[in-house]
Amino acid sequence: MQKGKIGTLTGLPGLSLDALTSVAYGPEAIVVVLAAAGAGAIGYVRPITVAVVVLLAILVFSYRQVIAAYPDGGGAYAVSKENLGTTSSLLAGASLIVDYVLTVAVSVTAGVAALASAFPSLTSAAVPLCLAILVFITVLNLFGLAESARAFLVPTLVFIAGLYAVVLAGLIHPFGQVTSSTRGLSTATSTVGVLLILKAFASGCSALTGVEAIANGTPSFKEPRIKRAQRTELLLGVILGSLLLGLSELVVKFHLRPQDNVTLLSQITERSVGHGVLFYVIELSTTVALALAANTSFGGLPVLFSLLARDSFLPRIFTLHGERTVYRYGVVVLAVLAALLIIGSGGNTQRLIPLYAIGVFIGFTLAQTGLVRHWFSHHGRWWAGRAALNGLGAVLSGAAAVIFLATKFAHGAFIIVIIIPGLIVLFRRIHRYYNTLGTALATSEVPPALEIGAPGLILVPVIDISRLTSVVLARAVELGGEVRALHVAFEGEPTDSLEARWQTWGPGVPLIVVPSPQRSVVRAFLAYLATPEVAAHQNVLVLIGEIEPRKLRHRLLLNQRGAILATALRRRTNALVATVPFRLE
C-alpha cells in the first residue's frame, strides 16, 4: 500500500475538481459576453464552445505528454525550465502560483455565493463561511491528499452524475427548439463582430483552468504513477468536454440569457428536470463541488513550491514534508494567501474574476511552446505531428491570454502585471542569497584538516544560586576548559550576599561580577567579551540555562532574558552560544 497516494478515480476530486466545476461558470461566461450583442448572438455559443473543447483536447493531449516526460511534477514550470530557460520557467512558476491561489479563493467564494442564493439570510456571513470552508479543506489536506480526495469522491461523483442527468434530460426535453441557422449566424455576425467573438472565446476558456493540475501533481499518484495520471487526465478531458458541449446545446435550445441572481446552470437545470427534488440535489451538489474545487490547488501548488525550493528559488523549507508525503508548509502558505484574498474581496467572487485564468493561460502557452522545443530536440515517434499540435495549442492559449489581459486590464487584471514580475524578482533574490550562502560555506570545496586547539573559555550567566545554576555549571564543567560564572550587577545592586553564598557553596567555578551602569545585561556581556583577557581566547562558549515549563502558556510568564541575550550574542559576537534546558517536573 502506498500511503498518502491517490489513484485514477480519486485523482478527479484530488486534482481535477477545479476543471470539472468550471462547467458551472464557463458556458455562462460565453453567454454574458454574447448577450451584449442581442438574442441572435446566442447561437454563437455552440461554435465557440466547440473551439474551447478543441483547445481542451489539445491541452489534455499535451499534458499527458508532460506527465510522461516530467513525472516529478511541476507542469509548465518543469517544461519551461528544460526547454525555454530560467526566465521562462520562473514566469511559468509565478503565473501558476497566482492562478492556484486565485483558484482557491474563487472556488470557495463561488460555492458560498451559490449557497447564499438559495438561502439569502447567509449573504451577510459570506466571509466567515468562506473561511470556515477554507479551514476545513486545509485541515483535510494536512492529513494527506489521498484522505481529502477520498472524502471528496462521493460529492464529486454526485455532481458529475447530476450534470449528465441534466444534459440527457434536456436533450430529450419536448420543449425548446434549436434556432441557430447559417442565416441567423450571418445576421448576428454583423452585430457581434470578430473582437466580441474572440472575447467570448477567451471568457469561455475560463472553463479550462485546472487542466494542468494533474501534470503538476503527478508525484501524488500511486505507482505506476505515469499511467494513472495520464488516465485521470484523459478522464477529465472526456467528462469536461462532453458536459461543455451538452450544456452549450441546451443554452441554444432553451434560448437562455443571463439573469440577475440566477446562474445559467440553474436555468438549464430547471428547464431540464423541473423544480423538484432532483433540482435541489443538483444545486446542492454544485455548491459543494464548487467549494471543494479549491482542493485542486492544494494538490498542485505545494508540489510546485517544492520544485521551486529545490532549485533555490523559494525557501528550502518548502521541500520538507510529513510522513503522509504532505508538503505542509506549502499547504499552510496557500491557505493563508487565499484567506487574505477572500477577506480583501469581502467574499465577492466578481471582484476576483478579473484576475482569474490569466496566469494559467500564460502557463499553458509556455508549456505548449516548451513541448514544441522538446520535440525538435528529442524527436521520437510522430514528433512532427506532436510539435505541430503543441504549436497550435501555444497559439490558441497565447491568444486567449492576450485577450484576457486586454479585456480585463481595467477591471483589475493590471494587478497581475504587477504581481507576476514581483514574484520573479523575489525568486531571483532568493536564488542570489542561496548562491551567496553556498560560496560562503564553500560547499563545493574540501575543507582543510581540523586543528585541535587548546580548551576554550566557557561563560555561564548567573542570576542567583539555584538548581538551574547547578545544572548549567555541571554541563559546563563536563565540556572541559576554563569555566567562569558571570553575574551582571546593576548600579546600586548589592552583591555581597551572593558572593558570600557562592563561597559557602564552593562549586569550584569562580564567580565574576560584571557591573552594568546602563542597567543592561546584553551591554555588560558584550563589554566583558570585548576585554583583552577574554578576547585572547580562541574559543569562547556562552552556556545559557533555559527554563522549559510544563505548559506552553507559562512561557509568557518568564522574562525571556536568556533568549534576548542569546540572540544578541549570536548577532554581534563570534562566541558560540548554547542553551541548557531545565525542564520543570
Side-chain angles (χ1 to χ4, degrees):
M1 180 178 179
Q2 299 175 51
K3 189 175 181 180
K5 300 292 185 177
I6 58 178
T8 300
L9 192 58
T10 50
L12 287 176
L15 292 169
S16 307
L17 202 48
D18 171 32
L20 289 173
T21 55
S22 64
V23 297
Y25 49 80
E28 184 167 11
I30 299 174
V31 174
V32 167
V33 175
L34 293 177
I42 300 300
Y44 276 98
V45 170
R46 186 190 296 111
I48 290 174
T49 302
V50 170
V52 171
V53 172
V54 169
L55 179 55
L56 170 65
I58 294 173
L59 291 173
V60 168
F61 178 79
S62 296
Y63 277 104
R64 280 171 56 87
Q65 299 175 61
V66 172
I67 291 167
Y70 304 93
D72 291 332
Y77 171 74
V79 177
S80 302
K81 174 186 172 184
E82 180 174 318
N83 300 287
L84 302 178
T86 301
T87 300
S88 295
S89 69
L90 295 182
L91 175 59
S95 301
L96 289 175
I97 289 173
V98 169
D99 189 73
Y100 273 136
V101 175
L102 279 166
T103 292
V104 175
V106 169
S107 298
V108 172
T109 55
V112 170
L115 184 64
S117 64
F119 304 97
S121 60
L122 297 177
T123 303
S124 59
V127 172
L129 284 173
C130 288
L131 296 178
I133 292 173
L134 180 60
V135 169
F136 171 71
I137 297 173
T138 303
V139 170
L140 275 180
N141 278 277
L142 287 174
F143 282 99
L145 181 61
E147 281 67 19
S148 63
R150 282 192 287 268
F152 300 162
L153 181 58
V154 172
T156 301
L157 294 179
V158 172
F159 170 72
I160 295 172
L163 287 185
Y164 273 120
V166 168
V167 171
L168 292 175
L171 291 177
I172 62 175
H173 199 287
F175 304 105
Q177 180 180 359
V178 178
T179 60
S180 66
S181 64
T182 304
R183 180 179 177 182
L185 290 181
S186 176
T187 303
T189 301
S190 60
T191 305
V192 176
V194 175
L195 290 179
L196 196 62
I197 292 175
L198 290 175
K199 182 179 179 181
F201 168 73
S203 296
C205 285
S206 62
L208 305 183
T209 56
V211 172
E212 81 294 341
I214 296 171
N216 290 349
T218 302
S220 302
F221 284 87
K222 299 176 183 177
E223 294 292 349
R225 59 179 176 174
I226 293 177
K227 289 185 177 180
R228 290 183 187 275
Q230 287 180 326
R231 290 170 188 163
T232 304
E233 187 76 54
L234 181 60
L235 186 59
L236 165 65
V238 171
I239 295 174
L240 179 56
S242 60
L243 287 176
L244 286 174
L245 291 173
L247 292 173
S248 68
E249 192 72 22
L250 295 182
V251 169
V252 178
K253 179 177 181 178
F254 295 138
H255 316 293
L256 299 178
R257 300 189 67 183
Q259 294 182 18
D260 292 337
N261 302 320
V262 181
T263 65
L264 191 68
L265 183 59
S266 294
Q267 295 181 56
I268 296 173
T269 303
E270 186 173 10
R271 293 292 297 272
S272 297
V273 301
H275 206 79
V277 175
L278 184 56
F279 171 82
Y280 287 104
V281 170
I282 294 171
E283 286 293 288
L284 182 59
S285 67
T286 301
T287 299
V288 173
L290 277 167
L292 299 183
N295 203 58
T296 297
S297 294
F298 283 99
L301 187 55
V303 175
L304 178 60
F305 274 162
S306 71
L307 294 176
L308 283 164
R310 193 181 306 165
D311 294 335
S312 300
F313 291 111
L314 279 180
R316 289 174 181 162
I317 194 172
F318 287 112
T319 62
L320 304 177
H321 58 71
E323 62 180 16
R324 294 177 179 268
T325 323
V326 178
Y327 294 102
R328 294 186 175 178
Y329 294 100
V331 169
V332 172
V333 169
L334 171 58
V336 170
L337 293 176
L340 292 175
L341 270 180
I342 290 171
I343 295 171
S345 67
N348 189 327
T349 308
Q350 296 307 314
R351 294 178 183 174
L352 299 170
I353 287 296
L355 310 178
Y356 196 41
I358 297 174
V360 75
F361 273 90
I362 294 175
F364 284 164
T365 305
L366 290 170
Q368 302 289 309
T369 306
L371 282 175
V372 172
R373 181 79 177 270
H374 173 82
W375 295 126
F376 274 94
S377 301
H378 296 79
H379 288 193
R381 191 179 184 187
W382 299 325
W383 71 270
R386 293 181 176 185
L389 189 61
N390 293 142
L392 176 61
V395 171
L396 291 176
S397 55
V402 171
I403 297 170
F404 259 120
L405 189 59
T407 56
K408 296 181 179 181
F409 189 85
H411 300 285
F414 66 89
I415 298 176
I416 301 298
V417 180
I418 298 173
I419 292 178
I420 290 179
L423 284 173
I424 294 175
V425 171
L426 176 64
F427 295 156
R428 291 194 177 279
R429 289 180 67 88
I430 292 173
H431 193 264
R432 190 181 306 125
Y433 169 78
Y434 279 125
N435 285 340
T436 302
L437 183 63
T439 301
L441 295 177
T443 54
S444 60
E445 301 176 9
V446 177
L450 295 178
E451 297 182 5
I452 309 300
L457 174 64
I458 302 176
L459 305 178
V460 178
V462 171
I463 298 176
D464 202 349
I465 298 175
S466 64
R467 288 181 60 192
L468 173 62
T469 306
S470 176
V471 168
V472 179
L473 286 178
R475 296 294 178 267
V477 172
E478 290 173 1
L479 292 174
E482 181 184 354
V483 180
R484 301 177 188 176
L486 263 67
H487 173 75
V488 176
F490 294 158
E491 187 176 7
E493 176 189 348
T495 60
D496 296 344
S497 175
L498 175 62
E499 293 178 284
R501 287 186 292 119
W502 191 273
Q503 292 295 329
T504 303
W505 178 31
V509 174
L511 175 66
I512 298 175
V513 177
V514 181
S516 177
Q518 300 92 353
R519 303 184 65 81
S520 170
V521 173
V522 170
R523 289 185 179 182
F525 249 86
L526 292 175
Y528 184 76
L529 289 172
T531 59
E533 191 268 336
V534 174
H537 287 80
Q538 187 175 5
N539 301 310
V540 178
L541 169 64
V542 180
L543 211 56
I544 302 173
E546 186 176 71
I547 297 174
E548 291 191 358
R550 286 177 294 179
K551 297 181 179 179
L552 185 62
R553 65 177 182 271
H554 290 167
R555 287 186 178 274
L556 300 174
L557 305 178
L558 303 177
N559 60 24
Q560 310 299 326
R561 182 179 295 178
I564 295 172
L565 177 61
T567 301
L569 293 177
R570 289 189 179 106
R571 288 181 176 178
R572 302 170 65 177
T573 73
N574 292 324
L576 299 175
V577 182
T579 58
V580 178
F582 183 79
R583 296 179 176 84
L584 299 179
E585 301 298 333

